[in-house]
Amino acid sequence: SSGINAEWPLRPGGTYVIIPTTFKPETEGDFLLRLFSEDKANLKLLDKEPSSSALGTADVEVVKCEGLVVPEDATGVYVALVCENRMAKTPCKQGNNPEFNCKAAFHIKAPDKATVVAQVYAKYGEGTKDVLLGRSLNLPLKEGGKMYTSQLGTGDKSKSGTGQQVPGTVKVIIRYRTTK
């Protein structure tokens, strides 16, 4: 058993992936990973491999939002991407026109039915529920890639599309590729 200690200065608000490996290819091992941060860190475990039933992968990039009406008491906004009952969230950003340039990958089981929905939330302090500012249309997956700029709506399920329009748009790039 050996240990490696390292310290790296990282860009605030950046997204990083840590992949522990052995020195021998195709050799599995146990790892203890300890992370220390001077600032608040949002950590999550990523899926190791796509499930055997996944037929493709959708790489989704939230580029930016424009024209949002963010409540004054909100600490910022973030976008939650939803695809096939899985969710990924961007870091929180400030302003009515935040740029995210943040990516997520979804392993797709039913590409003919799967869509991506971008939900824009106002973030509040600890113990206070975040508020949905609006949601995109159901954005379809296209082989290759496509950029969408979607007007936000209330998300009223009883109406077609996004429901009643609300101020703001979200720009998303979806790159779908078949893996089987």
Side-chain angles (χ1 to χ4, degrees), residues 10-174:
L10 302 176
R11 181 175 45 107
T15 301
Y16 302 91
V17 177
I18 300 170
I19 304 171
T21 63
T22 65
F23 290 105
K24 297 177 184 174
E26 304 299 322
T27 303
E28 292 188 13
D30 294 324
F31 293 90
L32 172 64
L33 181 63
R34 291 187 183 155
L35 300 173
F36 299 94
S37 174
E38 294 175 4
D39 298 319
K40 182 178 176 185
N42 182 10
L43 304 175
K44 64 182 172 182
L45 180 64
L46 300 177
D47 286 341
K48 211 164 96 174
E49 295 288 331
S51 72
S52 61
S53 60
L55 299 177
T57 302
D59 294 312
V60 184
E61 179 179 356
V62 179
V63 179
K64 64 181 175 179
C65 292
E66 291 183 325
L68 300 177
V69 177
V70 181
E72 286 184 24
D73 54 342
T75 59
V77 296
Y78 65 90
V79 178
L81 298 169
V82 180
C83 182
E84 288 192 334
N85 296 317
R86 301 203 54 198
M87 180 184 285
K89 295 179 183 178
T90 67
C92 196
K93 299 287 182 167
Q94 305 293 317
N96 296 332
N97 302 299
E99 292 191 18
F100 293 96
N101 300 313
C102 185
K103 297 178 184 176
F106 295 93
H107 302 298
I108 306 298
K109 295 179 181 178
D112 53 331
K113 297 178 185 175
T115 60
V116 175
V117 175
Q119 301 171 334
V120 182
Y121 285 88
K123 177 81 175 155
Y124 290 89
E126 296 295 323
T128 304
K129 189 173 180 177
D130 299 342
V131 174
L132 178 67
L133 297 178
R135 69 186 294 279
S136 71
L137 294 169
N138 292 329
L139 306 172
L141 306 180
K142 301 282 186 196
E143 191 73 38
K146 181 162 173 75
M147 182 181 311
Y148 297 94
T149 299
S150 180
Q151 175 66 46
L152 297 179
T154 59
D156 183 352
K157 302 285 187 205
S158 66
K159 300 179 181 178
S160 63
T162 61
Q164 187 170 348
Q165 285 189 355
V166 295
T169 61
V170 61
K171 185 180 283 189
V172 176
I173 300 171
I174 302 174

